[in-house]
Amino acid sequence: MPNQYVSDYQVIAAYVMAGLCFWVYYKACSVSPGEVTTESSPHFTKKYEGHYDEIIYKKNNKCSTCDVIKPARSKHCNICKMCVSKFDHHCIWYHFSNLRIRQCVGQRNYKYFISFLFLHSIWCCYLAVIGAYSLYASLLKMKFW
């Protein structure tokens, strides 16, 4: 892989980026999204006191399914069967190993999910550039030009 356009350091950087990507993916899969229960509801409600606008997010609004007081921006997920604080979406990404997101993305795992997307997009662009340089070096070696 190393050639006149791709150095050993760039290959090592690609492996480091891969390690970071896998670590963030692991964290996105393993960290709970932030389940709202009767015990945790006061904590979430107090933390997001300023988010109640009494139009969309009302104080002391109860979830009709699990009967807990919902904090602002929380939602009940019918797939996970729980209320999630700062609910973003239910992620259906599935991998055939035991490591899969397949859960809600909420307050506690949102930063890992966004980091996962960001790092993977940078890693893919980086690998595309390294691949293009390697292809160019291979074509020059075969004397197509």
Side-chain angles (χ1 to χ4, degrees), residues 1 5 7-8 11 19 27 30-31 39 46-47 51 58 70 77 79 104 109-110 120:
M1 174 73 142
Y5 297 106
S7 69
D8 289 332
V11 174
K27 293 298 279 184
S30 62
V31 173
E39 293 83 28
K46 184 179 176 185
K47 189 172 184 177
H51 293 268
K58 298 182 180 183
K70 294 188 340 178
C77 178
I79 300 168
C104 291
N109 63 353
Y110 185 74
H120 273 75

Side-chain angles (χ1 to χ4, degrees), residues 12 15 25 32 49 53 62 66 73 77 80 88 93-94 96 104 119 143:
I12 291 170
Y15 283 120
Y25 178 68
S32 162
E49 191 70 35
D53 59 2
K62 280 196 169 189
C66 49
R73 293 191 60 202
C77 178
C80 294
D88 188 70
W93 283 354
Y94 181 77
F96 294 108
C104 291
L119 284 174
K143 301 193 189 260

Side-chain angles (χ1 to χ4, degrees), residues 24 34 52 54 69 83 90-91 94 98 100 122 130 132 142:
V24 176
Y52 296 105
E54 296 301 327
I69 295 177
C83 281
H90 182 87
C91 189
Y94 181 77
N98 290 334
R100 55 192 172 267
I122 290 196
I130 287 180
M142 289 190 252

Side-chain angles (χ1 to χ4, degrees), residues 23-38:
W23 178 78
V24 176
Y25 178 68
Y26 169 75
K27 293 298 279 184
C29 294
S30 62
V31 173
S32 162
E35 181 178 2
V36 179
T37 61
T38 52

